[in-house]
């Protein structure tokens, strides 16, 4: 049983580690969707790994819970603890240093508090690419991206955050420091603690620094927005593209007409250069080597797709500005969704071949529960859809509060039955603890609980996240 | 404390699971380098995951150790247990089924006993590539490749075995079955048990099946053998190639002249098409998309490298037969080494930029210990070298037996100091348990022991491998 973080404990902590504590600010205990209000006695802001270790050791001795905080942009409540003995927040906001740059190795070592956009910018300064890219990159911190194994738009080509990490430094629940900042592509020396900490959402330790993979920039990129007859056609288009351009497809995003309708309703300044507006479309980005003409490559793909009946219409960007405006459409969809207001949002993944059947099946099942507008879009190349359910025009999400749980269960049950995941890229946090219990493999859950108990016997690390406390 | 696998226990096991036991054959308890002679009371050959679970449960109840056995090709003794209470071997030899093929998803589900070459052939039948490729692929089984996170020649482009696995099925030490055969690219639902089991060398459970990533085949490939002035030049050539052909370099192998000399001495039928024989050379393979002429791409790279002073000479294969004969040179080097007979072989990795300094430094340090012939070659693109130390002509490896440990420590100490790994792709097994204790991060080791104790409290799974029993 944990103890609350009391004024007495804070005094002891402050005496031992002066200058690290600050008062809790509202933003420290909020999360983006406003579902929960967190609590915290104070926020500790260590400047070094040794200071993180000192704080963790003190909390361990006192049995005080710690909620690690990065940019606070997570969507499943992993960063806010609304219940239980009041914890200490440990923010990585002062650990933002670039520890080392090794462009000839395509490696960079950064502290966990570095904002993702800054990681991208540092890589760019080295004439390299750090491909992790997601909507909240201006405030998300790389430690949080690692802790949640964040996804984003470039997973198809470059992998999830875990695939971009060669090594970690972390403070474990007993206060020991794991010095694992290797810059190696191959290292088979025992259990992969790095992959265990990545995706553990701060429940097994606090990531303090990471050795990241960088990539040479493609010689050229080209972006297109293509109307397709159906999700099945979109998948066949992906297969066609992969057959020709294996390893060169940087993004393959599915967009449903509902996304465009929401933009027309809430952000009319974002216009779609296709007429008529298609029911289904895909945004493709290719990153090409020297010797391949980008527009020709995309036009060649279009011609073959046209011949195979896989496209109806399309625009190929012929300038960086046009490419940016196509990406802006895709990137505005989440904001359009927010302005409409979802009853329930689902971050799901499916085996690719199950997607065409899933979409009508989920729609039919939800129709049994009421009338909805459904916006189904996302990272089709990864099998990762954001399947979001909205009220019909003129109705308000609040009116559907009593149905939210039923809607979610309806979608998740089908996803689970088809071999999918109910959290593709956002993690479990506190929002999906029940989903993990419902859908998770029992042997995996038992192993997770055993590992948590072994590494964090007092349960001080992010209490109640991922596993029920 | 474990119990020996007695005739009484075998009788009980046979009664409960008839038809699964066979007598131990010599090949079950040998390993390729002949360092150890294993022991086993019998070999259990289950036909299904349920049968594996039954055997593990029975062994757990009786406190009998289990040594999981795939193809037996591991080079660090993970598959042979020479000491301690005599164990049961659990061989996956009868679990070789293709469980499912999903070419449109680029996924295949196979049982752990399938031989790697058969996995490659099944993928080929689907017109896809399973890129894991290594010398022992004709007898290694995919479950062993996963358990050891095998490397090989295509890691630069496609990653290690762990990167080729989307999901696992495994029997955990308590006999429970982890049903994790997901076919998903994204699945952030709790701790990544898959990555914990991969590379754990059978000490945390027995992998029974895996969901594997397949890849579209490149439209064309081209292979070249290029003489380079130095390892530093080889690295600069790699960077040049990556700048132009990011993501398309399938292999980048460093070869030292000693490898050619050994072939001339032991396998003169393998000839090298470069004259004079260079001190250093690299074998490059490019896998290219449609629209890129393969020989032109390689010739263009050669011309630029020539201008930059990074190459001295070279041959570009202009037929599949020529490409195969260049690969044959590279693939014959380990056999040449075996015929000469190494005093000590080292499977090391280094941060790429440390390699040029490491090679002369290790040579100078070893010269303090005696006279040697050193063959330093391997997967340069991954920072993974096989740094093998041989007697001079006319002397025999046996004469150096008293020096072996000193030679190994000399090399490994330098590797460790430079931030490298003393087991890049072969694992720890039983050979390197002491190395792991010497060079491993103490916090990581403590976490590994805690995880092992939590998941396998009786210590029945591959006793003495990775961690001292």
């Amino acid at each position: 049983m944990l103890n609350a973080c009391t004024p007495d404990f804070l005094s002891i902590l402050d005496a031992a580690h002066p200058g690290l504590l600050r008062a809790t600010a509202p933003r420290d205990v909020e999360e983006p969707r406003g579902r929960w209000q967190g609590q915290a006695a104070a926020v500790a802001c260590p400047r070094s790994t040794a200071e993180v270790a000192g704080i963790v050791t003190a909390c361990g001795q006192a049995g005080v819970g710690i909620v690690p905080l990065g940019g606070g942009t997570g969507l499943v409540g992993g960063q806010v603890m609304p219940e239980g003995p009041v914890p200490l927040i440990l923010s990585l906001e002062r650990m933002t240093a670039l520890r080392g740059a090794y462009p000839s190795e395509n490696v960079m070592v950064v502290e966990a508090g570095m904002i993702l956009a800054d990681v991208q910018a540092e890589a760019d300064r080295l004439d390299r690419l750090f491909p992790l890219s997601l909507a909240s990159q201006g405030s998300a911190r790389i430690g949080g991206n690692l802790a949640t194994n964040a996804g984003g738009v470039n997973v198809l080509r470059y992998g999830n955050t875990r695939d971009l990490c060669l090594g970690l430094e972390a403070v474990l629940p007993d206060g020991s420091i794991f010095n694992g900042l290797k810059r190696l592509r191959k290292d088979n020396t025992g259990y992969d603690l790095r992959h265990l900490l990545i995706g553990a959402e701060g429940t097994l330790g606090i990531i303090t620094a990471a050795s990241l993979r960088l990539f040479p920039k493609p010689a050229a990129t080209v972006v297109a927005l293509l109307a397709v007859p159906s999700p099945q056609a979109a998948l066949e288009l992906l297969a066609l593209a992969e057959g020709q351009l294996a390893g060169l497809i940087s993004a393959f995003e599915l967009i449903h007409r509902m996304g465009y309708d929401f933009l027309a309703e809430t952000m009319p300044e974002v216009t779609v250069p296709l007429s008529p507006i298609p029911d289904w479309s895909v945004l493709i980005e290719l990153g090409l080597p020297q010797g391949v003409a980008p527009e020709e490559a995309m036009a060649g793909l279009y011609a073959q797709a046209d011949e195979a009946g896989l496209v109806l219409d399309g625009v190929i960007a012929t300038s960086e500005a046009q490419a940016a405006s196509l990406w802006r459409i895709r990137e505005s969809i989440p904001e359009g969704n927010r302005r409409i207001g979802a009853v329930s949002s689902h971050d799901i993944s499916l085996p690719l071949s199950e997607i065409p059947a899933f979409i009508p099946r989920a729609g039919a099942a939800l129709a049994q529960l009421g009338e909805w507008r459904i916006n189904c879009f996302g990272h089709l190349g990864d099998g990762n859809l954001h399947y979001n359910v909205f009220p019909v025009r003129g109705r308000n999400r609040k009116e559907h509060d009593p149905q939210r749980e039923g809607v979610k269960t309806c979608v998740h049950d089908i996803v689970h039955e088809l071999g999918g995941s109910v959290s593709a890229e956002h993690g479990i946090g506190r929002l999906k603890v029940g989903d993990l219990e419902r859908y998770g493999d029992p042997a995996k859950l038992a192993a997770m609980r055993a590992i948590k108990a072994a590494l964090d016997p007092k349960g001080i690390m992010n209490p109640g996240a991922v596993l029920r406390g």
Side-chain angles (χ1 to χ4, degrees), chain A:
Chain A
M1 187 60 192
L2 292 172
N3 298 313
C5 182
T6 60
D8 280 357
F9 175 71
L10 290 174
S11 300
I12 294 166
L13 202 60
D14 189 48
H17 304 283
L20 303 190
L21 293 176
R22 65 167 174 80
T24 310
R27 66 181 159 76
D28 299 319
V29 287
E30 288 164 1
E31 44 87 31
R33 288 188 178 154
R35 296 213 176 204
W36 288 296
Q37 180 65 39
Q39 46 163 358
V43 179
C45 306
R47 293 159 300 197
S48 68
T49 306
E51 288 181 350
V52 174
I55 293 164
V56 170
T57 302
C59 287
Q61 285 163 355
V64 167
I66 300 171
V67 176
L69 183 62
T73 60
L75 294 170
V76 290
Q79 73 277 40
V80 292
M81 181 175 159
E83 299 172 334
V86 61
L88 180 72
I89 287 178
L90 192 153
S91 167
L92 280 300
E93 66 198 50
R94 290 162 93 179
M95 289 185 63
T96 60
L98 174 67
R99 292 245 191 113
Y102 308 89
S104 72
E105 299 177 8
N106 288 315
V107 174
M108 200 163 73
V109 179
V110 303
E111 288 187 340
M114 189 182 276
I115 286 173
L116 174 53
D118 294 334
V119 178
Q120 295 166 345
E122 292 290 353
D124 193 63
R125 262 189 277 280
L126 303 172
D127 194 30
R128 294 292 184 279
L129 174 71
F130 182 68
L132 181 65
S133 177
L134 35 83
S136 61
Q137 61 198 25
S139 41
R141 297 179 191 273
I142 189 67
N145 298 140
L146 286 158
T148 59
N149 186 30
V153 295
N154 288 326
V155 173
L156 177 63
R157 179 166 183 163
Y158 297 102
N160 293 288
T161 305
R162 73 167 67 252
D163 303 304
L164 306 176
C165 176
L166 296 174
L168 283 184
E169 178 190 86
V171 174
L172 302 184
D174 66 358
S176 64
I177 297 171
F178 166 45
N179 289 298
L181 284 179
K182 297 283 180 80
R183 311 193 319 259
L184 306 172
R185 310 280 159 163
K186 283 180 168 176
D187 179 23
N188 279 349
T189 51
Y191 307 163
D192 202 318
L193 200 52
R194 164 190 55 152
H195 277 305
L196 186 62
L197 291 167
I198 295 173
E201 305 183 38
T203 63
L204 297 178
I206 297 174
I207 294 168
T208 51
S211 166
L212 301 176
R213 286 181 73 182
L214 306 180
F215 294 82
K217 293 179 181 174
T221 61
V222 55
V223 179
L225 182 67
L226 306 181
V228 294
S230 64
Q232 175 66 37
L235 285 170
E236 289 173 26
L237 173 61
L238 173 62
L240 181 71
E242 283 179 332
Q244 293 183 9
L245 300 160
L248 302 175
I249 307 164
S250 302
F252 197 91
E253 299 283 307
L254 182 71
I255 303 174
H256 183 251
R257 187 200 169 99
M258 193 64 76
Y260 299 139
D261 290 351
F262 285 178
L263 289 178
E265 193 176 330
T266 65
M267 302 169 72
E269 69 279 14
V270 182
T271 57
V272 180
L274 294 172
S275 178
I277 298 288
D279 279 353
W280 293 102
S281 44
V282 292
L283 182 108
I284 309 181
E285 181 170 307
L286 306 177
L288 297 165
Q290 279 189 10
V292 180
E295 288 165 40
E296 279 173 39
M298 188 69 90
L301 177 64
Y302 185 89
Q304 286 196 38
D306 191 32
E307 202 167 302
L310 301 177
V311 288
L312 301 170
D313 188 10
V315 289
I316 300 175
T318 56
S319 68
E320 279 196 34
Q322 281 183 21
S325 84
L326 293 182
W327 267 115
R328 188 172 172 228
I329 298 167
R330 167 62 184 88
E331 286 167 352
S332 299
I333 290 174
E335 179 58 23
N337 288 345
R338 264 188 290 275
R339 293 186 187 188
I340 297 288
V343 175
S344 187
S345 300
H346 312 94
D347 165 40
I348 60 175
S349 65
L350 288 155
L352 281 183
S353 64
E354 301 288 357
I355 287 177
F358 164 79
I359 294 173
R361 183 170 160 193
L366 285 173
Q368 303 290 314
L369 304 180
E371 272 195 294
W372 318 101
R373 288 184 293 177
I374 295 169
N375 191 8
C376 170
F377 68 103
H379 318 301
L380 184 67
D382 313 318
N384 176 197
L385 299 176
H386 297 301
Y387 188 92
N388 297 354
V389 181
F390 298 83
V392 294
R393 251 179 192 278
R395 297 199 65 184
N396 184 290
R397 62 189 292 193
K398 286 268 174 220
E399 299 173 46
H400 292 291
D401 272 352
Q403 290 167 283
R404 174 172 296 134
E405 198 63 23
V407 166
K408 187 192 78 171
T409 302
C410 172
V411 174
H412 284 180
D413 280 356
I414 298 171
V415 167
H416 180 65
E417 190 193 317
L418 295 174
S421 169
V422 300
S423 187
E425 60 175 6
H426 294 166
I428 298 297
R430 290 173 177 85
L431 178 66
K432 295 190 178 174
V433 170
D435 288 299
L436 180 59
E437 292 169 349
R438 181 180 175 97
Y439 304 112
D441 178 69
K444 172 178 166 175
L445 278 167
M448 285 174 58
R449 291 191 184 105
I451 292 165
K452 170 73 173 174
L455 297 183
D456 184 16
K458 293 183 178 171
I460 62 166
M461 294 303 310
N462 212 2
V466 185
L467 295 169
R468 217 171 282 276

